[in-house]
Amino acid sequence: MPFISKIQRQTDYNLIPPSCPIVIDNGASYFRIGWAGESEPRIIFRNIVQRPRHKITGETITIVGDHDPALLKYFDCTRSGPRSAFDNDVVFQFEIMEYILDFAFDRLGADEAPINHPILITECACNPVHSRSKMAELLFETYGVPSIAFGVDAAFSYKYNQKLGNCDRNGLAICSGFTTSHLIPFINGEPVYEACCRTNVGGYHVTNYLKQLLSLKYPHHMQRLTWEKVEDLKMEHCYIALDYASEVRLFQKGAKEAEEKTRCWQLPWTPQPVEEPPSEEEIARKAALKERQGQRLREMAEAKRSSKINELENELKGLEFLIHQLRQVNGNNVQSFFAETGYVSKQEIESAIVKVTQSLRKAKGEQDEVEENPEVSNSEKYTLIDVPDNMLTPEQVKEKKRQLFLKTTSEGRQRAKQKRFEEELERERRNKEDEQRRLENPELYLEQLRAKYKDLSEKVDQRKRQKTNGNNGNENVSGGVGRGERLNAAQKERMRLLTTAAFDRGKGEDTFGIKDEDWQLYKKMSKDNDDEDEGPNEDEVELARVASKLREIDPSFFPKSDASSSGTEHPRLRPLTKEDFQILIGVERFRCPEILFNPNLIGIEQAGLDEMAGVSIRRLRSKSLSLEVSDGLTNSILIMGGSCLYPGMSERLEAGIRMIRPCGTAIRIIKASDAVLDAWLGAALFASTVHFQRQVFNRTDYYEKGEDWLRRYQLKYTF
């Protein structure tokens, strides 16, 4: 609808005479308000209220109808969901209803109370007296309206279509709304509410059911399946199946016709950019840039090295100058000389000279003389190792132990270094042999690698199974694996030693730990001495080496992981494609609207739209209605409401009613001229007649007669 400023709305409102009624179609889904006699309502909006908070200030505002998406930048609309004043098509939240009426009257131009116009407002069939009384109280007390009239929306729609010549005076009105569906029989142009039926199933349940099915089918796209979008998908793609069972079988078979009926909703998707190989100019540019960066780093390193060499040379000269001065100092002045220089003895200065000299040679890249002759350096460094303890002082004995520890550690590092060097040589030799065999016969080499990988993986898996389950092929009587069969050799030896130590301890005094041999036994009993837990064995190392080789030469090779060895494989990741962002709507197109005829699909044990017709006709017969009149009702069945807009609704309703009516009964399904607006149009047409003024009740009647009079109030639909 075009935007109208507030000043223009107030001007239009003031031009309307006070005798012109205001017509309100208070539906559970949409609220429509306008003036009597007009061809369309002035204001239409969603009949909901939201109260979001400001993201910064925390201020709460009231939004009536659909919120503007621009508000999401400033207000948090996720924590405050839409609230409706209705419960199964009956108004029960009048605080929310007041917000809605305030908004409607403001948009109509009535910015201040009282509202000096009569009100005609619609309600559902058989509306409770309490709801009608509260609505009258709200309009009289809050807005000060002069008079009110209540009418049923389905009755207004039927009378409007009857005036257009679409339906007869005797007939059935089926109104499938947002939360409920009603069936009202008409006899001689007047509704018979004693025989009407209601089912608590409507468009809300269809949308909710479709949303549930799509969320279960595409759980990774649940954020895209908003209520508004699912509502649009329902109105655009859903239809009523003439035969639900045969339609389901059609989709189960996966026939071509089922594929043609399937609809696709393509979500926004951006393909991943394909990386093009760099051009020769780009490669040359990157190489030149890398060379410049390397040259710059080399220059920085050389400058840092030169600075360090200069510092070390200056420090060495200073130490040599101190030694030269020390030689010229008399014996009595040596202590004062050391106090001034900060050193304790001549040996400390000489040790500092040795350290600085070694650092200087290392900075210059020269080989250390100590490494060239390690035997001489060790003999000079560890002078107390070969001297007996009885010839040494207690301080020298401590120094001997320290030298022995340093020598043992140094020799261990040398052995480890030599072992690593030999392993590196062996690895290079093996790689050369493998490369030579690969070049001679690539196919045979690849086949041998795969076979070797298979054998090694089986050995490793068997070893892991034995370690965890102890499945060595020896089973006990019960079919399980005993504790002893799960232990390896080291663990069995540890258990034997623990048992022996416990047995010896019970014989007498506990003397374990006095002798040094006891600690050797303790080391054997320690769990840390278990060779099985030290790390990967030779088979695992070789398996890793073979797997790395296979990855290099075989692109299709996918190594086993720990999970795959136990029976489950990790799924291979693939890039997302356009099909991953498609939502296919197939069987859901007719499965969701089917709940209008079979509410038990969603757990509601009530009658469907076709069964309601039979129930209503049986109720009319109980009132001594003639057989001819009751049979003639099916010749004029008017369907209205937003849930009657599905394709195939008329055909399915006719087929369902034909199954419960006698053979040869005339059945005619008529669609309303406007299934959504006919209720308001019929009410606006009725409010413009003189019959409306005779059937309203004013404020005086309300205060004098009260709620009991509202209980007996019933509008006569005379156009």
Side-chain angles (χ1 to χ4, degrees):
M1 300 182 67
F3 173 76
I4 302 176
S5 64
K6 186 174 183 179
I7 297 176
Q8 183 65 35
R9 293 197 301 266
Q10 293 176 356
T11 303
D12 295 342
Y13 178 81
N14 294 328
L15 294 177
I16 303 296
S19 60
C20 183
I22 297 177
V23 180
I24 299 175
D25 181 13
N26 190 21
S29 178
Y30 281 90
F31 188 95
R32 304 171 184 87
I33 184 171
W35 298 102
E38 293 187 347
S39 59
E40 61 179 9
R42 291 287 184 97
I43 310 297
I44 300 176
F45 56 88
R46 286 281 301 277
N47 207 341
I48 55 175
V49 172
Q50 282 184 285
R51 292 182 59 80
R53 291 178 177 269
H54 197 278
K55 293 181 178 179
I56 299 177
T57 63
E59 180 186 359
T60 302
I61 64 171
T62 302
I63 300 177
V64 179
D66 289 326
H67 63 268
D68 189 357
L71 293 176
L72 294 176
K73 299 179 181 179
Y74 312 102
F75 292 91
D76 186 6
C77 298
T78 58
R79 296 186 179 181
S80 174
R83 300 175 59 190
S84 174
F86 288 82
D87 183 14
N88 288 334
D89 215 16
V90 176
V91 180
F92 78 107
Q93 289 283 359
F94 287 92
E95 179 183 357
I96 299 176
M97 197 71 238
E98 185 175 353
Y99 282 120
I100 293 172
L101 289 174
D102 286 343
F103 179 81
F105 289 139
D106 178 74
R107 289 297 182 270
L108 194 63
D111 57 340
E112 58 183 13
I115 305 297
N116 297 320
H117 294 270
I119 300 292
L120 173 60
I121 187 169
T122 62
E123 60 181 9
C124 65
C126 302
N127 191 36
V129 180
H130 177 73
S131 177
R132 180 184 289 181
S133 175
K134 287 293 184 181
M135 181 64 73
E137 179 182 350
L138 177 65
L139 291 173
F140 281 132
E141 300 289 345
T142 305
Y143 300 100
V145 297
S147 58
I148 306 174
F150 292 98
V152 179
D153 50 1
F156 282 127
S157 180
Y158 189 89
K159 295 295 292 183
Y160 180 75
N161 282 273
Q162 179 185 340
K163 187 173 182 61
L164 295 178
N166 297 333
C167 52
D168 302 335
R169 290 176 57 83
N170 298 334
L172 300 175
I174 299 178
C175 178
S176 184
F178 186 63
T179 55
T180 58
S181 297
H182 290 85
L183 187 144
I184 304 175
F186 281 79
I187 304 297
N188 296 324
E190 290 296 328
V192 183
Y193 296 116
E194 294 82 358
C196 71
C197 299
R198 187 181 81 168
T199 296
N200 293 328
V201 176
Y204 167 82
H205 302 87
V206 178
T207 305
N208 190 48
Y209 191 36
L210 179 60
K211 189 174 186 297
Q212 290 179 1
L213 294 179
L214 294 180
S215 298
L216 290 173
K217 190 175 180 180
Y218 301 98
H220 46 283
H221 291 313
M222 289 184 63
Q223 294 182 351
R224 300 278 187 177
L225 298 172
T226 60
W227 180 271
E228 292 77 10
K229 186 60 185 179
V230 175
E231 182 82 14
D232 295 340
L233 293 175
K234 178 192 74 172
M235 300 307 299
E236 185 177 356
H237 299 297
C238 287
Y239 67 94
I240 303 293
L242 183 61
D243 187 354
Y244 179 73
S246 62
E247 197 80 4
V248 170
R249 287 193 296 268
L250 179 66
F251 275 82
Q252 285 179 342
K253 295 178 182 179
K256 184 178 180 180
E257 186 178 355
E259 295 180 0
E260 295 176 353
K261 291 184 177 182
T262 302
R263 298 294 181 264
C264 176
W265 175 32
Q266 180 65 55
L267 297 176
W269 172 73
T270 303
Q272 296 182 354
V274 180
E275 296 184 0
E276 299 180 356
S279 60
E280 296 181 358
E281 293 80 2
E282 184 68 16
I283 295 175
R285 187 185 66 81
K286 290 183 178 180
L289 179 61
K290 187 176 181 180
E291 180 63 26
R292 288 195 299 270
Q293 292 177 350
Q295 182 64 28
R296 184 180 177 183
L297 292 176
R298 286 192 294 271
E299 291 176 356
M300 293 172 61
E302 184 63 26
K304 187 176 181 181
R305 175 174 167 272
S306 300
S307 176
K308 185 177 181 180
I309 290 175
N310 292 333
E311 292 178 359
L312 292 174
E313 288 178 348
N314 294 333
E315 186 178 357
L316 182 59
K317 289 179 181 179
L319 293 173
E320 290 176 350
F321 180 72
L322 286 178
I323 292 293
H324 179 69
Q325 285 184 338
L326 182 60
R327 292 171 183 171
Q328 298 176 1
V329 175
N330 297 328
N332 298 330
N333 299 328
V334 172
Q335 294 300 329
S336 61
F337 176 80
F338 285 139
E340 293 176 359
T341 57
Y343 290 94
V344 178
S345 63
K346 181 180 179 181
Q347 288 78 10
E348 186 177 358
I349 299 176
E350 290 177 350
S351 177
I353 291 175
V354 172
K355 290 182 180 179
V356 173
T357 304
Q358 291 177 355
S359 300
L360 184 59
R361 288 175 179 174
K362 185 177 180 181
K364 291 182 178 180
E366 299 176 359
Q367 190 174 4
D368 198 351
E369 294 180 358
V370 178
E371 294 182 357
E372 293 177 359
N373 194 2
E375 296 181 359
V376 177
S377 62
N378 287 338
S379 62
E380 292 178 356
K381 182 181 293 185
Y382 312 119
T383 57
L384 300 177
I385 291 179
D386 299 331
V387 180
D389 292 346
N390 54 6
M391 299 177 62
L392 299 174
T393 62
E395 290 78 7
Q396 290 176 341
V397 171
K398 292 182 180 179
E399 181 65 21
K400 177 183 176 180
K401 290 182 179 180
R402 190 182 68 84
Q403 291 180 4
L404 182 61
F405 173 75
L406 292 176
K407 181 181 179 182
T408 305
T409 307
S410 177
E411 290 176 353
R413 286 198 297 267
Q414 291 292 335
R415 287 193 299 270
K417 184 177 180 181
Q418 182 66 22
K419 185 179 179 181
R420 289 195 299 270
F421 180 71
E422 292 175 357
E423 290 177 354
E424 185 67 25
L425 292 178
E426 179 66 21
R427 193 180 299 109
E428 291 180 359
R429 184 186 63 79
R430 189 180 300 176
N431 291 337
K432 288 181 180 179
E433 292 178 357
D434 291 346
E435 184 67 18
Q436 185 177 359
R437 285 191 286 114
R438 186 183 69 83
L439 294 176
E440 289 177 357
N441 194 342
E443 292 79 7
L444 179 62
Y445 176 73
L446 182 58
E447 185 178 354
Q448 291 175 353
L449 272 184
R450 289 175 178 170
K452 188 174 182 180
Y453 178 81
K454 183 178 180 182
D455 296 340
L456 289 173
S457 61
E458 290 178 355
K459 288 182 181 180
V460 172
D461 293 344
Q462 184 179 3
R463 179 172 177 268
K464 290 180 179 179
R465 287 195 299 269
Q466 290 177 355
K467 187 175 180 181
T468 55
N469 303 327
N471 190 8
N472 298 325
N474 301 323
E475 297 183 356
N476 53 19
V477 178
S478 61
V481 179
R483 168 65 180 167
E485 296 171 0
R486 295 198 300 268
L487 300 178
N488 53 30
Q491 292 171 340
K492 289 180 180 180
E493 178 66 17
R494 182 165 58 243
M495 290 296 297
R496 187 188 68 78
L497 294 173
L498 288 172
T499 305
T500 304
F503 179 76
D504 294 341
R505 182 179 180 181
K507 291 181 178 180
E509 185 179 357
D510 185 11
T511 59
F512 182 80
I514 296 178
K515 300 179 181 180
D516 293 339
E517 292 79 4
D518 295 342
W519 294 104
Q520 299 297 329
L521 181 63
Y522 174 76
K523 290 181 180 179
K524 291 182 180 180
M525 289 189 296
S526 176
K527 289 186 178 181
D528 297 336
N529 197 29
D530 190 1
D531 295 336
E532 297 291 335
D533 299 332
E534 288 182 357
N537 60 357
E538 296 180 358
D539 291 339
E540 294 179 353
V541 174
E542 184 65 17
L543 179 65
R545 190 186 69 85
V546 174
S548 63
K549 278 287 183 183
L550 283 172
R551 278 195 294 265
E552 292 177 2
I553 63 178
D554 188 7
S556 62
F557 171 72
F558 187 73
K560 287 185 181 179
S561 61
D562 295 337
S564 63
S565 62
S566 62
T568 59
E569 295 186 0
H570 289 302
R572 297 189 181 184
L573 299 177
R574 61 174 180 83
L576 296 177
T577 60
K578 182 180 180 181
E579 288 73 17
D580 295 326
F581 290 85
Q582 291 179 352
I583 291 181
L584 300 180
I585 308 174
V587 69
E588 297 84 7
R589 294 184 61 197
F590 62 90
R591 182 180 178 183
C592 297
E594 182 65 22
I595 65 176
L596 297 174
F597 295 89
N598 294 301
N600 56 355
L601 292 177
I602 57 174
I604 298 177
E605 298 297 333
Q606 296 181 11
L609 296 180
D610 48 359
E611 297 179 32
M612 290 166 60
V615 173
S616 180
I617 293 175
R618 286 196 298 270
R619 290 177 179 177
L620 287 174
R621 286 185 178 177
S622 64
K623 296 177 127 348
S624 302
L625 189 67
S626 64
L627 184 63
E628 295 180 357
V629 175
S630 61
D631 291 340
L633 294 177
T634 58
N635 193 33
S636 176
I637 302 177
L638 181 69
I639 57 176
M640 66 197 75
S643 297
C644 292
L645 298 176
Y646 300 111
M649 171 63 79
S650 302
E651 294 79 2
R652 173 63 182 277
L653 194 60
E654 180 180 354
I657 295 176
R658 193 174 298 278
M659 293 179 65
I660 61 177
R661 298 299 299 154
C663 181
T665 302
I667 299 175
R668 184 168 64 102
I669 307 298
I670 307 164
K671 287 186 177 182
S673 59
D674 192 329
V676 177
L677 290 178
D678 275 357
W680 186 91
L681 294 175
L685 182 62
F686 174 75
S688 61
T689 62
V690 295
H691 302 284
F692 169 75
Q693 301 295 335
R694 301 171 184 172
Q695 301 189 53
V696 299
F697 64 96
N698 52 32
R699 191 183 300 109
T700 305
D701 296 334
Y702 172 74
Y703 288 127
E704 292 179 356
K705 299 178 181 179
E707 185 176 330
D708 292 336
W709 188 82
L710 286 174
R711 188 186 304 274
R712 297 188 301 271
Y713 174 80
Q714 185 172 336
L715 194 70
K716 300 294 182 181
Y717 301 92
T718 304
F719 283 47

